[in-house]
Amino acid sequence: MTTIVPRPLHRAGHARPLSRLALLLLASAIVVGCATPRPDPEPAPEPEPRADLAELPPEVRASLLLSEARSRPEPETIRGAIEAVLALDPATPDQLERADTLWAELPDAERDSQAGRLLGARLAAAQRDWDLARERLGADDPDDPTRSPEVYREGLSLHARLLEHEGQWYQALDARLRLDGLLIMEPDLHSENQQRLWGLLAALRPAQRERVIGNHPPDGDAWVSLFRLLRGADTQDAARQAAGQWRERHPSHPANSLLPELLASHPLTPDAPGDTLVLLPLSGDLGELGNAVLDGITRAYYAEGASNGRLIVRDTRGEPDAAAALYRRGVESGVARIIGPLRRESVQQVATSDQAVPSVLLNRAGTIAHEAMTTLALNPEEDARAVADRAARAGWLHPLVILPEGAFGDRVASAYQATLAEDDRRPRDVIRVQPTAGELNATIGNALGIPQSESRIREVARRTGLELEADPQVRADVDHLFIAGSAPQVRRIVPHVHFHRASHLPMMATAHVYSGRPDANRDADLNGIVFPDAPRLFDRVHPLDEEADAGDEALPRFVALGMDALRLSLRQEAVRSAPHHQLVGATGTWGLNPFNHEWVREPAWARFERGEPRRIDLPAGGS
């Protein structure tokens, strides 16, 4: 087929096509231009080899990975950056915030997996946002495909830390016991876990330690057994003998690795000598209380011997700002230890100090900023917890609680119910009364179930048509009474308990039921009531001052507290390193909770008999 190419038409007004000569000249110019030599191009710089990230300083490595993840937000790069930040000791708030932002940008499926939730929870914990860490961590899911042995182990470790932060010592111990067997191939982590496990045993109340037996992984029984044996050993020889007997029964138990360190802490010796600064309100509204504590501190100081350094006393006047300023000056002056202050607000202000020396603060604080600080207190909350613990050890699990209205009753009720809740228990009823009210008898009778019993008697009589002579019965769902209040308040309440024939129920109270001086006539109605108190109030021979008579002191419990504060301050660091140790003092036997830095007291126990309190916790033959 022939292709016809039309020729262009030449019209007037249009340029004529280039001549053949012009075309030839144009082609020659192009050829000459192409043949002209050009300078060699600059060689492209070779890309610098990327430094091995593992060889970089951790801070630099984390910054590089954060930047890379920001520019290339893929799950793998994000996870690598977050892990690098979490590996820093410590990471800065900015680094943690950037890492947390990256975690939030992970796909939903990545974040919701067990590995993803753990990563987010670790970030929250590093920022001290414990509630968020708990929320993100969630529950263990054995069916999750990302739940590797390492993820499970790290999740269990974080779970234990969260429980410790929440003060759930019993549950935290269970988690640490389960974790311990997973760390055999990680010596450093294993050692740390065992140290914390030992500290948790010290943090438990006696009744909680008893509950461990038979209720935890098999190693738990042996842990408690070793703790009890070493806590009861007063000398190095006794400790070695107890440890030898335990080792024979448990030759392959993991706690064997701790034994050399634990045995080296016996006998408990005082810390390094040095001056002691005492900060107390010696004037103002707490002046009487402060002087009673100082009396006890001074007695213990001379009993211990002046070789421990000088005793320097300063008056805080009960003012928080003055207490905080005196504390700072004491730290700057180089004292070895500080006792005080006493007022709660002063303690809370001092507890936030970022500079500290070993200190015994004489009240509880919400948070402790420095590990060198511990807190020591005699307060209604401590008594309430002690009552709940002793009742549990006695097998009394269903209390009826009668408390006075007001701030004192509020504090006791809150602490008591919280302690029961730790063991998944609750009181049958909490009755708030006004001890001077005219309807007190009816209120207590109603709490004991008397009207209900009378109603049942009337109903039976109506149905049978008989005239029944029956006494109303106390409710059967209660196995003991907890009656708290001052001595005058409880004296008004208890007669109504007797009136309604409830005297067969065990009765417990706080130390406030006893004024500190025996008064058989006024306290006759208190017979049978059991309460915790300072042993010095009952001991005839006082180890620190044999001639002193606690009954002659205006505030004998706080004199005893001062004695104990001095003795504890001289041994605080030694007990901190080996928390199974206890110190027997004038207010009770003290042990240290290494997690919340609180000295925890096991008080003496007494019962009113013939109107006078008598100790009931002495060994056979004790006085």
Side-chain angles (χ1 to χ4, degrees):
M1 178 178 180
T2 302
T3 301
I4 302 175
V5 180
R7 294 183 178 182
L9 297 177
H10 297 285
R11 297 180 182 176
H14 285 264
R16 296 179 65 84
L18 291 175
S19 66
R20 180 173 301 179
L21 177 60
L23 289 174
L24 181 60
L25 290 174
L26 178 61
S28 299
I30 293 174
V31 170
V32 170
C34 292
T36 303
R38 296 183 179 179
D40 294 336
E42 293 289 337
E46 295 184 6
E48 296 182 5
R50 180 177 180 181
D52 187 352
L53 291 178
E55 297 178 359
L56 294 174
E59 297 81 3
V60 176
R61 179 174 181 270
S63 295
L64 287 174
L65 290 175
L66 282 171
S67 298
E68 182 180 359
R70 182 75 275 171
S71 61
R72 189 164 57 90
E74 299 173 358
E76 185 176 352
T77 58
I78 289 176
R79 288 194 298 268
I82 293 175
E83 290 289 359
V85 170
L86 290 172
L88 296 177
D89 187 22
T92 66
D94 177 65
Q95 289 168 325
L96 289 170
E97 184 177 349
R98 291 169 65 190
D100 206 68
T101 301
L102 287 172
W103 180 85
E105 294 179 2
L106 284 169
D108 291 347
E110 291 274 348
R111 283 202 318 272
D112 295 339
S113 69
Q114 186 153 337
R117 288 188 284 110
L118 172 62
L119 197 60
R122 290 168 60 200
L123 277 171
Q127 298 174 87
R128 298 293 188 269
D129 191 338
W130 304 107
D131 290 337
L132 181 59
R134 167 70 68 194
E135 178 185 339
R136 287 180 176 178
L137 184 61
D140 179 44
D141 181 3
D143 297 325
D144 190 299
T146 67
R147 183 190 182 266
S148 65
E150 182 178 5
V151 165
Y152 174 70
R153 187 192 70 197
E154 290 187 0
L156 187 57
S157 178
L158 180 55
H159 177 59
R161 285 179 57 202
L162 292 172
L163 290 169
E164 290 163 0
H165 177 78
E166 295 162 3
Q168 301 293 326
W169 318 123
Y170 186 84
Q171 292 83 351
L173 177 69
D174 177 78
R176 294 258 172 225
L177 285 169
R178 288 187 283 124
L179 179 63
D180 203 58
L182 305 177
L183 298 174
I184 300 298
M185 304 305 294
E186 301 282 351
D188 291 342
L189 295 177
H190 195 204
S191 176
E192 179 187 353
N193 187 69
Q194 291 191 333
Q195 293 287 349
R196 299 187 77 84
L197 197 157
W198 193 252
L200 286 166
L201 288 168
L204 294 181
R205 299 190 311 275
Q208 290 179 314
R209 275 194 295 275
E210 291 179 4
R211 282 179 55 202
V212 173
I213 306 298
N215 292 323
H216 283 266
D219 285 343
D221 294 14
W223 277 105
V224 173
S225 172
L226 178 62
F227 186 88
R228 286 175 171 172
L229 287 169
L230 293 185
R231 171 159 277 192
D234 296 328
T235 66
Q236 189 174 54
D237 288 342
R240 291 186 183 281
Q241 182 178 359
Q245 295 171 352
W246 179 89
R247 189 186 291 112
E248 288 180 2
R249 295 194 299 270
H250 309 284
S252 59
H253 191 277
N256 277 285
S257 61
L258 276 184
L259 274 181
E261 180 181 347
L262 296 174
L263 292 176
S265 70
H266 290 264
L268 190 67
T269 56
D271 302 335
D275 295 342
T276 301
L277 173 63
V278 178
L279 304 177
L280 287 171
L282 304 178
S283 58
D285 59 333
L286 292 181
E288 184 181 12
L289 193 62
N291 279 282
V293 175
L294 179 60
D295 183 9
I297 290 174
T298 305
R299 295 186 191 195
Y301 172 75
Y302 287 111
E304 288 282 345
S307 61
N308 290 302
R310 296 179 301 162
L311 192 66
I312 305 168
V313 181
R314 297 286 183 265
D315 181 11
T316 67
R317 304 184 303 277
E319 299 171 1
D321 290 341
L326 289 168
Y327 186 92
R328 286 193 300 271
R329 291 177 204 160
V331 174
E332 293 167 359
S333 70
V335 298
R337 61 191 63 85
I338 298 176
I339 301 174
L342 178 64
R343 185 185 290 275
R344 184 183 295 269
E345 293 80 7
S346 300
V347 168
Q348 290 172 340
Q349 189 160 334
V350 166
T352 61
S353 175
D354 57 354
Q355 292 183 330
V357 296
S359 308
V360 177
L361 311 181
L362 298 176
N363 215 319
R364 299 303 189 200
T367 57
I368 297 290
H370 202 287
E371 289 193 355
M373 298 177 180
T374 59
T375 63
L376 177 71
L378 292 179
N379 57 40
E381 291 89 343
E382 314 289 326
D383 278 358
R385 284 189 278 270
V387 166
D389 190 70
R390 184 173 179 88
R393 298 173 72 185
W396 304 335
L397 305 178
H398 307 295
L400 172 64
V401 183
I402 303 175
L403 301 174
E405 296 176 351
F408 172 86
D410 293 342
R411 293 171 62 184
V412 170
S414 177
Y416 185 76
Q417 290 176 288
T419 305
L420 293 183
E422 291 175 6
D423 298 333
D424 296 323
R425 293 191 291 128
R426 60 183 300 274
R428 293 304 190 193
D429 266 319
V430 177
I431 308 301
R432 305 298 295 274
V433 301
Q434 178 51 258
T436 59
E439 67 274 11
L440 181 60
N441 187 63
T443 300
I444 292 176
N446 188 61
L448 292 169
I450 301 304
Q452 294 87 337
S453 179
E454 291 174 336
S455 177
R456 287 193 296 271
I457 292 172
R458 289 194 297 271
E459 178 63 17
V460 171
R462 184 187 66 79
R463 290 183 177 183
T464 60
L466 301 174
E467 292 186 7
L468 300 178
E469 295 183 3
D471 294 325
Q473 301 297 307
V474 174
R475 57 193 293 181
D477 64 337
V478 168
D479 59 12
H480 71 289
L481 304 177
F482 174 36
I483 306 172
S486 65
Q489 288 174 326
V490 179
R491 289 190 195 114
R492 292 189 181 100
I493 293 172
V494 172
H496 299 289
V497 174
H498 295 320
F499 175 80
H500 291 293
R501 297 181 177 87
S503 303
H504 65 284
L505 291 173
M507 289 184 286
M508 306 187 75
T510 64
H512 307 82
V513 73
Y514 178 43
S515 65
R517 296 182 178 85
D519 190 339
N521 291 329
R522 298 182 69 188
D523 292 337
D525 285 330
L526 303 182
N527 287 342
I529 291 182
V530 173
F531 63 97
D533 213 330
R536 187 171 181 272
L537 271 63
F538 311 105
D539 295 345
R540 295 182 180 179
V541 178
H542 306 302
L544 297 178
D545 188 353
E546 294 186 358
E547 297 181 359
D549 183 359
D552 294 335
E553 298 161 351
L555 297 168
R557 294 182 179 93
F558 288 93
V559 174
L561 180 67
M563 292 178 174
D564 290 351
L566 189 282
R567 295 190 69 235
L568 295 175
S569 74
L570 294 176
R571 297 163 177 83
Q572 174 168 297
E573 296 307 297
V575 175
R576 189 192 299 277
S577 63
H580 62 278
H581 283 285
Q582 286 183 310
L583 288 170
V584 178
T587 54
T589 300
W590 294 95
L592 181 64
N593 183 328
F595 295 95
N596 60 14
H597 313 289
E598 292 183 359
W599 289 99
V600 182
R601 180 178 68 127
E602 292 185 21
W605 288 91
R607 178 173 55 225
F608 279 100
E609 297 176 1
R610 298 181 181 179
E612 293 189 7
R614 300 185 184 278
R615 284 195 67 174
I616 59 174
D617 59 347
L618 290 171
S623 59

